[in-house]
Amino acid sequence: MADIRQFIFFDFEMLCSDTGMAFENMEAIRLGAVKYNLETEQITYFDRYINPEFKGILPDFCKKLTGIEDGDLAEADSFKNVFEEFLTWIGGIKKTRYFSWSQSDLFRLKLDADRHDIAVRTINKFEKRYIDFQAIFKKRVSKEQVSVEDALALYGLSFTGEKHNPMYDAYNTLKIYLHFLNDPIQSDLIMLKQFFFEGDASFQVDQINEHLSRQIKRDAQLLTEPLREVHRLKEIKKWLKPIRKLVEKYENILFNRSRLISEENILHARYLINFYHELLLSYNEHSSHFSKIYIFNEYMVQPLKKITVK
């Protein structure tokens, strides 16, 4: 893959109705994007209306939601022409990484590209370099799926420009990304509050590792207390899902981009994660042999017991 020289953040406004509409019929009616040059940090903008194949009158609901009028679309180019202009503005698919806030924008691109006979190889190149930043943000910062406005608020920022204008949606997504990328301390503080200390009024920044150590110990106890030497295999199967959710939370500790988290807490988080993966591997092995009984190996729980006795 060619060296990445720029980021493109893009967003579609689509046909919509308050009575419901199949996603495949929600054609793009406006494409907005921003281009961020990695070397110069210059930002440039793209904003175009799109004339859809649908030729009816836009529902009042859609006009109010998007701010788009029938006249805007009547005077616009087709999706194919707008997309060709978009590619020219990008200036090179292979040197670009693409982002949107929700994978629905990529799905919309693929559906409308197919509808307008745009070369599959072009869309495949685009998709290969695409990142759903909302999914990354949920996994690494917010815990829950949040809107662009709510993600900005987590950083103490406000929305710039007109809401439901896709160019401004793209620009604000870029704002979030740059804070996520360039301010790891604030990002990790948000992550810790969202994943570990939500609702904890006693949380203090200078006591992060004390709070986190207590949380890890409680979680290790929850895992070890019900363990016996022998279990029914179906009991282990029920445990795997909640333990996996616990592990997804602790994976954020291992990243430690801010360097706020102590080596001891990172080590203990790794114990929890390793326990899950060893348990999953062992469960799959038992299951492949049609076992109904699961026998624990003591070595699997020893690291967790080290945490709980501290």
Side-chain angles (χ1 to χ4, degrees), residues 248-283:
E248 289 173 353
K249 176 174 77 170
Y250 277 104
E251 284 175 343
N252 288 310
I253 299 300
L254 301 190
F255 281 91
N256 194 25
R257 293 194 304 134
S258 63
R259 301 294 184 263
L260 290 172
I261 301 166
S262 70
E263 290 298 322
E264 182 180 57
N265 281 331
I266 292 172
L267 177 63
H268 290 172
R270 187 170 283 113
Y271 287 163
L272 290 168
I273 293 168
N274 289 345
F275 172 78
Y276 167 72
H277 289 295
E278 289 174 357
L279 180 63
L280 179 61
L281 182 65
S282 182
Y283 168 81

Side-chain angles (χ1 to χ4, degrees), residues 36-286:
Y36 180 79
N37 186 295
L38 294 178
E39 182 178 354
T40 66
E41 300 184 357
Q42 180 184 12
I43 300 173
T44 52
Y45 304 87
F46 184 92
D47 183 18
R48 298 291 185 276
Y49 292 106
I50 300 169
N51 192 336
E53 290 187 343
F54 168 81
K55 297 306 178 186
I57 297 173
L58 284 176
D60 290 339
F61 168 82
C62 197
K63 292 178 182 179
K64 184 175 180 180
L65 179 66
T66 65
I68 297 173
E69 297 292 335
D70 294 297
D72 297 323
L73 305 185
E75 298 175 1
D77 280 332
S78 68
F79 179 89
K80 187 170 187 176
N81 289 340
V82 170
F83 187 67
E84 287 176 356
E85 187 181 353
F86 181 53
L87 292 180
T88 300
W89 175 77
I90 289 171
I93 289 180
K94 292 183 178 180
K95 65 181 181 182
T96 306
R97 181 158 290 142
Y98 304 89
F99 301 81
S100 72
W101 191 261
S102 167
Q103 203 168 22
S104 64
D105 294 291
L106 178 65
F107 293 155
R108 183 75 268 147
L109 171 61
K110 293 169 70 175
L111 284 170
D112 285 3
D114 181 64
R115 183 192 296 264
H116 292 273
D117 297 320
I118 293 170
V120 172
R121 65 181 179 274
T122 299
I123 302 304
N124 287 345
K125 290 176 185 177
F126 198 102
E127 184 174 14
K128 184 178 180 181
R129 295 161 177 81
Y130 170 79
I131 292 173
D132 175 4
F133 182 50
Q134 185 187 50
I136 297 295
F137 195 79
K138 174 185 175 183
K139 186 175 183 179
R140 297 291 173 232
V141 181
S142 66
K143 186 180 178 181
E144 306 295 339
Q145 186 164 298
V146 296
S147 66
V148 169
E149 291 89 341
D150 288 341
L152 288 166
L154 288 173
Y155 287 105
L157 304 172
S158 56
F159 191 93
T160 300
E162 302 171 0
K163 294 182 180 179
H164 294 293
N165 178 320
M167 185 187 73
Y168 284 116
D169 283 341
Y171 174 74
N172 283 280
T173 303
L174 170 63
K175 278 174 58 177
I176 299 164
Y177 182 79
L178 291 178
H179 275 76
F180 170 76
L181 190 67
N182 298 325
D183 194 348
I185 291 178
Q186 189 175 12
S187 295
D188 275 0
L189 286 173
I190 295 169
M191 177 274 293
L192 288 165
K193 290 178 182 179
Q194 298 296 113
F195 281 87
F196 294 94
F197 309 127
E198 187 175 12
D200 185 352
S202 64
F203 172 76
Q204 299 292 328
V205 172
D206 60 352
Q207 298 176 340
I208 283 174
N209 284 294
E210 293 177 35
H211 285 271
L212 192 56
S213 179
R214 289 197 293 270
Q215 181 70 63
I216 294 173
K217 183 174 181 178
R218 285 196 295 268
D219 286 335
Q221 287 173 333
L222 288 174
L223 292 181
T224 56
E225 284 176 355
L227 296 184
R228 305 186 302 272
E229 184 178 352
V230 179
H231 287 270
R232 292 184 181 276
L233 195 65
K234 63 182 181 181
E235 288 181 305
I236 303 300
K237 184 178 181 179
K238 289 181 180 179
W239 285 349
L240 285 172
K241 185 174 181 179
I243 297 175
R244 177 174 57 81
K245 288 187 176 296
L246 192 68
V247 164
E248 289 173 353
K249 176 174 77 170
Y250 277 104
E251 284 175 343
N252 288 310
I253 299 300
L254 301 190
F255 281 91
N256 194 25
R257 293 194 304 134
S258 63
R259 301 294 184 263
L260 290 172
I261 301 166
S262 70
E263 290 298 322
E264 182 180 57
N265 281 331
I266 292 172
L267 177 63
H268 290 172
R270 187 170 283 113
Y271 287 163
L272 290 168
I273 293 168
N274 289 345
F275 172 78
Y276 167 72
H277 289 295
E278 289 174 357
L279 180 63
L280 179 61
L281 182 65
S282 182
Y283 168 81
N284 288 335
E285 184 177 355
H286 279 71

Side-chain angles (χ1 to χ4, degrees), residues 293-304:
I293 299 298
Y294 181 90
I295 301 176
F296 261 107
N297 289 317
E298 182 64 18
Y299 82 90
M300 289 175 57
V301 297
Q302 280 303 317
L304 297 186

Side-chain angles (χ1 to χ4, degrees), residues 9-23:
F9 287 76
F10 70 99
D11 182 70
F12 286 110
E13 286 297 321
M14 311 174 201
L15 291 174
C16 49
S17 170
D18 56 350
T19 60
M21 180 181 290
F23 187 76

